[in-house]
Amino acid sequence: MSEKIKNRTVFSLHEVMVSVGKTLVKRYTSAFWVRAEISKLNFYRYSGHCYLDLIEKQDGKIVAQTRAVLWKSDYQRIDALFRKTLNEPLRDGIKILFQATIAFEASHGLTLRISSIDPDYTLGDLEREKQETIRRMCKEGIFQRNKSLKMPLLPQRIAIISVETSKGYKDFLGKIDSNPWKYAFFHMLFPSVLQGEGMIPSVIAQLNRIRKVQSHFDTVAIVRGGGGEAGLASYNNYLLAREIALFPLPVLTGIGHITNETVTDMVAFRNLITPTDLADFFMQAFHNFSVPVRQAQQKLSGVSQRIFRNEKMKFISEIKLFHSASENLLSRHRTHVCFVQEKFSNRLQQTVREETLRLDGVEKSVNTLSPREVMRRGYSMTLHNGKTVRNAGTLKAGDRLETIVYEGSIISTVQTCITN
């Protein structure tokens, strides 16, 4: 009960809360529909109940917040409906349209007791976010930026953003590493969360890591298994889509079996539906290169063999022509050679005879002028000490002399020397 303190009426907190509760109960007598964002979904496995923190934002600022509760039976029913409609459970960060009643207890305050949630509203809100991201990126002129990059002729070096334990990642590697054509790929995993809370900052962080070593890679592949529309809602996020659009390497996505593209798929260089399709894309790039090369190789081989055969035939023909021309040339000049040979032989014989006669004449002249022939005609030669005496003045009385005549020699001694 209230009491008087210094002429003021004072109520206890309990009295105030009870009064507020009675007022709310009288005002909100039936269930009503509310739209809000799930800030935090607190599920307690032991009890099966779910306690939600709900917020409303305007211009990025929280303008209202409260608590809500989903009792076990309601949570199980609504969660199953979400999984069926969106292929995704209730989770943090999505906007919901729910039906609730006011519950107020003096000890706990105001709580909204949720009895129903419309999954179609959540799906529509995700589409609105997607369209807003597209509009904003088109206005900034960056929507087609990554698509305008040039993919290398042979994209061999792949930076992969995925979860190491993901089936999609294993399917991708199994396809490119075991390809029957033995195409060689270099790939490196940059592990990242690819769904749920933390997905957006995780992928952006790995893109920043790849950016620092971009010279070692040709392209980036974002690989993820399947997922429903809501499960892929984060891929419509503006910050993530902008990072991909402005990335300096071509970014390719293979993030699941979906019919509607996310903004991430739209701004990427190329979107392939599944990781397996993405692996096929890389191998097709090698096919596109290798098939013309093999065709050119076969064509070159055929042309070279044809040229070789033609040149060989020409060479054989030239040899035959040369042999024939040589035979003809030898045949034409053989008679002339014989004539020249005979003429040379005759000339040589004549020259030998003439030279023989001339030498005979020289020999006769030499014989005629030899000392012996001169002595035969009565001349003699006097020697002193083995040398011919030409000047009597070189002799003196008593010198011994040898006088050679045609037949024999005379030894004498000088008595007197008379000079002219």
Side-chain angles (χ1 to χ4, degrees), residues 257-292:
H257 302 270
I258 58 174
T259 55
N260 295 323
E261 290 180 306
T262 66
V263 180
T264 291
D265 293 321
M266 294 177 180
V267 301
F269 180 86
R270 187 71 179 269
N271 166 39
L272 288 307
I273 300 299
T274 69
T276 301
D277 293 333
L278 185 56
D280 287 336
F281 170 84
F282 285 112
M283 286 187 289
Q284 186 61 49
F286 274 73
H287 286 327
N288 295 341
F289 180 82
S290 64
V291 170

Side-chain angles (χ1 to χ4, degrees), residues 120-148:
D120 291 332
Y121 174 84
T122 301
L123 194 60
D125 183 71
L126 296 178
E127 180 62 24
R128 283 191 296 273
E129 179 185 8
K130 174 180 176 180
Q131 294 304 321
E132 174 59 22
T133 299
I134 294 173
R135 184 198 64 77
R136 185 175 176 183
M137 295 186 69
C138 289
K139 183 178 180 181
E140 294 174 0
I142 61 175
F143 194 81
Q144 297 289 334
R145 186 73 60 84
N146 197 259
K147 291 183 183 296
S148 66

Side-chain angles (χ1 to χ4, degrees), residues 100-372:
T101 57
I102 291 289
F104 190 91
E105 296 178 4
S107 59
H108 293 92
L110 177 68
T111 302
L112 297 179
R113 291 181 179 175
I114 299 175
S115 58
S116 180
I117 300 179
D118 183 1
D120 291 332
Y121 174 84
T122 301
L123 194 60
D125 183 71
L126 296 178
E127 180 62 24
R128 283 191 296 273
E129 179 185 8
K130 174 180 176 180
Q131 294 304 321
E132 174 59 22
T133 299
I134 294 173
R135 184 198 64 77
R136 185 175 176 183
M137 295 186 69
C138 289
K139 183 178 180 181
E140 294 174 0
I142 61 175
F143 194 81
Q144 297 289 334
R145 186 73 60 84
N146 197 259
K147 291 183 183 296
S148 66
L149 298 178
K150 185 177 181 180
M151 176 70 75
L153 189 62
L154 289 177
Q156 281 185 290
R157 307 172 301 167
I158 310 169
I160 305 173
I161 297 178
S162 187
V163 180
E164 187 172 9
T165 57
S166 164
K167 182 179 183 300
Y169 173 64
K170 292 180 180 178
D171 290 344
F172 177 78
L173 291 190
K175 196 79 182 268
I176 65 171
D177 286 343
S178 302
N179 70 86
W181 303 277
K182 305 300 181 182
Y183 297 148
F185 293 93
F186 167 78
H187 50 77
M188 181 175 179
L189 176 65
F190 291 80
S192 172
V193 176
L194 290 180
Q195 62 185 12
E197 187 177 2
M199 172 268 180
I200 295 171
S202 180
V203 173
I204 291 176
Q206 295 301 350
L207 286 171
N208 288 333
R209 285 186 61 201
I210 297 171
R211 188 189 297 269
K212 294 177 182 178
V213 291
Q214 60 180 287
S215 61
H216 297 287
F217 296 99
D218 299 318
T219 184
V220 177
I222 301 178
V223 178
R224 173 187 181 271
E229 295 290 337
L232 294 170
S234 297
Y235 291 90
N236 292 322
N237 179 267
Y238 168 77
L239 294 178
L240 176 60
R242 184 178 188 277
E243 189 69 26
I244 291 173
L246 297 177
F247 202 73
L249 295 177
V251 178
L252 291 86
T253 60
I255 58 177
H257 302 270
I258 58 174
T259 55
N260 295 323
E261 290 180 306
T262 66
V263 180
T264 291
D265 293 321
M266 294 177 180
V267 301
F269 180 86
R270 187 71 179 269
N271 166 39
L272 288 307
I273 300 299
T274 69
T276 301
D277 293 333
L278 185 56
D280 287 336
F281 170 84
F282 285 112
M283 286 187 289
Q284 186 61 49
F286 274 73
H287 286 327
N288 295 341
F289 180 82
S290 64
V291 170
V293 169
R294 285 197 296 269
Q295 292 175 344
Q297 183 181 15
Q298 294 172 357
K299 184 177 181 181
L300 180 62
S301 177
V303 170
S304 61
Q305 290 179 7
R306 184 167 63 253
I307 292 175
F308 177 77
R309 288 194 299 270
N310 292 340
E311 292 300 319
K312 183 177 180 180
M313 293 176 63
K314 287 172 61 178
F315 181 68
I316 293 174
S317 177
E318 293 291 339
I319 290 177
K320 290 180 179 179
L321 180 61
F322 177 76
H323 185 268
S324 176
S326 300
E327 287 291 333
N328 292 336
L329 184 64
L330 289 174
S331 178
R332 288 199 305 269
H333 292 283
R334 186 174 287 113
T335 302
H336 177 69
V337 169
C338 291
F339 172 75
V340 171
Q341 183 181 14
E342 183 178 358
K343 183 177 180 181
F344 176 76
S345 178
N346 293 336
R347 177 67 181 223
L348 180 62
Q349 291 177 5
Q350 181 180 353
T351 301
V352 169
R353 285 195 297 271
E354 290 175 354
E355 288 299 315
T356 300
L357 292 174
R358 186 179 67 80
L359 290 175
D360 288 343
V362 171
E363 182 179 10
K364 289 179 180 178
S365 299
V366 170
N367 289 334
T368 301
L369 296 176
S370 67
R372 183 172 178 78

